[in-house]
Amino acid sequence: GKEVKKENHIQRLMCEGVCTKCREKVQWRFRYDKYKPLKTPGSCQACKNKTVTKAYRTFCDSCATKRQVCASCCIDIAEANAAAALEKESRASSAKISSDSNEK
């Protein structure tokens, strides 16, 4: 009902403006009921204003967008997502190699 819709909306908002790795961390927190929303706005590490309104963030949305970095881990978003994709690829290929060796 209404509760599920609200939770899905919060999940969608929390996954915006962060890299793949941080998105997966937040999704894990939701999945295992570990997510805790931010009660009071936090200080942005860039502009030093109390503008961080989402939990598990260090930059406010505007500073993160300006700098093209993940609002959570502060790493360049394009680089972080490319690194995550490479990591997933290497994990998949190593899993394939190990399954091939098990078949012999």
Side-chain angles (χ1 to χ4, degrees):
K2 230 178 195 178
E3 289 276 320
V4 174
K5 270 188 179 179
K6 190 174 185 181
E7 192 171 303
N8 287 340
H9 178 70
I10 292 170
Q11 277 184 336
R12 218 175 8 264
L13 282 178
M14 284 307 302
C15 291
E16 289 174 0
V18 291
C19 66
T20 309
K21 198 171 184 179
C22 293
R23 180 177 296 121
E24 287 170 0
K25 285 181 190 176
V26 170
Q27 288 170 341
W28 182 91
R29 284 187 170 111
F30 272 106
R31 201 172 307 122
Y32 294 102
D33 289 328
K34 301 289 183 184
Y35 176 80
K36 289 187 179 88
L38 201 60
K39 286 179 174 67
T40 57
S43 297
C44 172
Q45 296 301 305
C47 64
K48 306 294 183 205
N49 296 324
K50 289 210 176 268
T51 47
V52 179
T53 54
K54 296 174 182 170
Y56 311 109
R57 305 285 178 103
T58 50
F59 282 167
C60 63
D61 289 338
S62 60
C63 287
T65 324
K66 267 185 231 159
R67 294 163 184 247
Q68 302 265 302
V69 294
C70 171
S72 188
C73 65
C74 309
I75 297 172
D76 184 86
I77 281 201
E79 283 179 29
N81 288 343
L86 280 173
E87 196 176 297
K88 265 190 181 164
E89 243 176 62
S90 67
R91 259 195 256 135
S93 64
S94 66
K96 189 177 190 291
I97 291 167
S98 66
S99 69
D100 288 347
S101 62
N102 290 342
E103 290 171 9
K104 291 179 183 174

